[in-house]
Amino acid sequence: MGCSWALAALVLGFLVVAVHGSEPWLNQTQVYSTNANSGSNGVFVGITLIQSAAAKGAVCLDGSLPGYHLHRGFGSGANSWLVNLEGGGWCNDVKSCVFRKSSRRGSSNHMESQLQFTGIMSNRPEENPDFYNWNRVKVRYCDGGSFTGDGADASAGLYFRGQRIWQAAMDDLMAQGMRYANQALLSGCSAGGVSTILHCDEFRGLFSGSTNVKCLADAGMFLDFVDVSGQREMRDFFNGIVSATVHHVMILLFVMTVTLLLHGSGRSLPRSCTSRMDKTSCFFPQNVVPNIQTPTFILNTAYDVWQLQQSVAPKRADPQGLWRGCRMNHASCNSNQLQFLQGFRNQMLDAVRGFSGARQNGLFINSCFAHCQSERQDTWYAGDSPRLGNKRIAEAVGDWFFDRADAKYTDCAYPCDGTCHHLTFRGDY
């Protein structure tokens, strides 16, 4: 009987991470197909572990040191800094976080020693015309809470120290010369896009008023959306991240207590939001962006495939499998499903309407079935990259950052855009 309980707990841990704690199509073993070549000749950059972090309690889920990859700028970009916050889903309970801490998403012991910089991180002008010679930094993500948590669970060997990791990384980069930046851009995709939005004004506060500071959030607009079963999957999940409540579950056969201590991220969320809304609502970017003071660019697809698979039509909400084909390939969606997805697009556009009205902000919302477009070479800047207003994403972002032109692009509804690089899947999640 004991073995059965242990096996069930292990299986549940795997399932929670498979659904919530990772983004399978962003892992090294790609499981999607796309209609374009995403190859790049970008440089490989070694990892730097932040040695001063341990003394600050700024550690990964497993207690290991956090780290980043820094490729120095040169020439006209020698004093310009691009800081990219890595994405990779979340964990919201002990089971999923324990599983996560044995991976690169929760431990620097499992991180790659080198990463290739592509897309907005590339060092080649033909791949990244505006930022190729900047100081470019990839801050590794190992806390599972979008760099916001501040707590621990000693019994499970878990450290929820995302906010401390953020501060330790910024302190180290400032000492590396970022304090002298004449311009700086904070970016990230997916969970890193959420991190970018939540930390944007904090990032600007690191610099003097003479530094040109802006933020770019890619695929970070996770919506508080009602799924196909009428539930709010993402709200339930995010509540587990921001709460600081301790629950106890008694497993009578073992006479033991499992403590579910969550991230406690609510304390780190922007006061501009938590002063008027509950903390869970303030983990949703749609409720934070209206009050961001720093110029920000939102890059998102109107049919984000992560949200389609995990929050719009998750398997839990689709017990009969009616959405399985649509989740895997947009071409398999029937007319009713497409109509439902148009409602998701409409909510996305409503969420950014006020934001886009501010002159300082930029916007690129295309009608593609994709997720994360700034770090993939084929979608960032290539001959056949997605376009709006005849602008590739890299060109639109560059126009916005350098004030070359107004950069607010919103696509017509699917299937009107023939420039998309849609993602399709070889496995169902």
Side-chain angles (χ1 to χ4, degrees):
M1 182 69 73
C3 290
S4 298
W5 273 100
L7 180 59
L10 180 62
V11 171
L12 180 57
F14 272 85
L15 289 176
V16 170
V17 173
V19 174
H20 294 302
S22 67
E23 295 170 354
W25 47 88
L26 295 182
N27 290 340
Q28 283 188 305
T29 302
Q30 302 294 341
V31 297
Y32 61 77
S33 299
T34 180
N35 60 354
N37 182 356
S38 59
S40 167
N41 295 311
V43 65
F44 283 86
V45 182
I47 193 169
T48 298
L49 297 181
I50 305 172
Q51 299 300 325
S52 62
K56 303 173 182 178
V59 293
C60 299
L61 282 171
D62 71 335
S64 60
L65 291 176
Y68 59 78
H69 302 251
L70 166 61
H71 193 248
R72 291 285 183 178
F74 60 92
S76 61
N79 289 321
S80 299
W81 286 75
L82 168 59
V83 178
N84 180 276
L85 302 178
E86 186 180 30
W90 307 270
C91 62
N92 76 329
D93 59 24
V94 165
K95 294 183 183 72
S96 59
C97 292
V98 165
F99 181 82
R100 188 182 180 98
K101 77 172 185 175
S102 64
S103 75
R104 63 193 176 102
R105 300 300 191 198
S107 171
S108 60
N109 294 327
H110 299 283
M111 290 177 183
E112 306 89 335
S113 60
Q114 291 187 324
L115 286 182
Q116 187 179 25
F117 279 12
T118 63
I120 194 173
M121 303 296 287
S122 175
N123 66 320
R124 300 174 66 88
E126 65 270 25
E127 296 182 346
N128 187 25
D130 285 312
F131 306 106
Y132 73 95
N133 64 346
W134 285 30
N135 297 281
R136 286 154 292 107
V137 187
K138 168 80 74 173
V139 181
R140 300 306 296 266
Y141 179 37
C142 64
D143 67 280
S146 281
F147 296 93
T148 60
D150 192 9
D153 186 331
S155 64
L158 289 170
Y159 299 87
F160 304 110
R161 299 291 174 78
Q163 182 65 32
R164 298 192 199 190
I165 292 172
W166 156 265
Q167 192 59 58
M170 294 305 107
D171 289 345
D172 206 65
L173 292 173
M174 293 297 272
Q176 292 288 339
M178 192 170 73
R179 68 175 75 251
Y180 305 114
N182 52 34
Q183 48 194 0
L185 176 63
L186 181 68
S187 75
C189 84
S190 195
V194 174
S195 303
T196 297
I197 289 170
L198 296 179
H199 287 291
C200 182
D201 285 339
E202 197 175 348
F203 183 69
R204 187 186 64 166
L206 298 173
F207 301 95
S208 69
S210 62
T211 306
N212 182 26
V213 183
K214 299 186 179 184
C215 302
L216 163 64
D218 178 10
M221 285 297 290
F222 293 90
L223 299 180
D224 189 5
F225 189 73
V226 177
D227 66 29
V228 296
S229 69
Q231 304 300 310
R232 293 183 181 268
E233 178 83 1
M234 287 305 294
R235 171 164 285 273
D236 291 343
F237 183 75
F238 280 170
N239 187 57
I241 298 174
V242 304
S243 299
T245 306
V246 178
H247 302 283
H248 297 280
V249 178
M250 292 299 297
I251 301 179
L252 297 179
L253 290 173
F254 288 94
V255 196
M256 60 184 259
T257 301
V258 179
T259 302
L260 303 181
L261 178 61
L262 309 178
H263 289 259
S265 296
R267 294 184 293 272
S268 302
L269 300 177
R271 282 285 303 155
S272 60
C273 182
T274 57
S275 62
R276 57 188 177 83
M277 302 183 77
D278 66 271
K279 292 177 180 178
T280 299
S281 295
C282 292
F283 206 84
F284 283 98
Q286 68 191 81
N287 298 319
V288 177
V289 293
N291 296 102
I292 290 180
Q293 299 301 305
T294 307
T296 300
F297 193 104
I298 290 178
L299 166 62
N300 231 99
T301 66
Y303 310 95
D304 185 283
V305 293
W306 195 99
Q307 295 185 70
L308 169 59
Q309 293 213 355
Q310 309 295 356
S311 65
V312 176
K315 292 175 72 174
R316 179 203 55 77
D318 181 36
Q320 296 180 318
L322 301 177
W323 279 80
R324 183 180 184 276
C326 184
R327 280 197 300 269
M328 293 177 67
N329 187 339
H330 63 282
S332 298
C333 298
N334 62 39
S335 58
N336 290 333
Q337 289 168 335
L338 286 175
Q339 184 176 3
F340 190 86
L341 294 178
Q342 299 300 5
F344 179 81
R345 171 183 178 269
N346 291 339
Q347 186 169 327
M348 177 76 70
L349 297 181
D350 287 343
V352 299
R353 183 165 287 111
F355 166 89
S356 65
R359 186 190 62 82
Q360 66 179 5
N361 295 330
L363 192 71
F364 195 103
I365 305 287
N366 54 358
S367 292
C368 307
F369 286 81
H371 182 72
C372 286
Q373 299 178 95
S374 64
E375 297 170 29
R376 288 180 57 87
Q377 196 58 54
D378 63 310
T379 49
W380 174 248
Y381 192 78
D384 65 342
S385 290
R387 295 173 185 257
L388 290 180
N390 203 31
K391 294 281 186 177
R392 288 170 284 192
I393 294 170
E395 294 168 323
V397 171
D399 285 349
W400 161 77
F401 189 90
F402 297 103
D403 298 317
R404 293 191 297 243
D406 186 50
K408 293 182 172 67
Y409 300 98
T410 302
D411 210 350
C412 48
Y414 175 83
C416 71
D417 190 340
T419 70
C420 288
H421 291 190
H422 298 298
L423 301 183
T424 59
F425 298 84
R426 296 192 291 269
D428 193 18
Y429 295 92

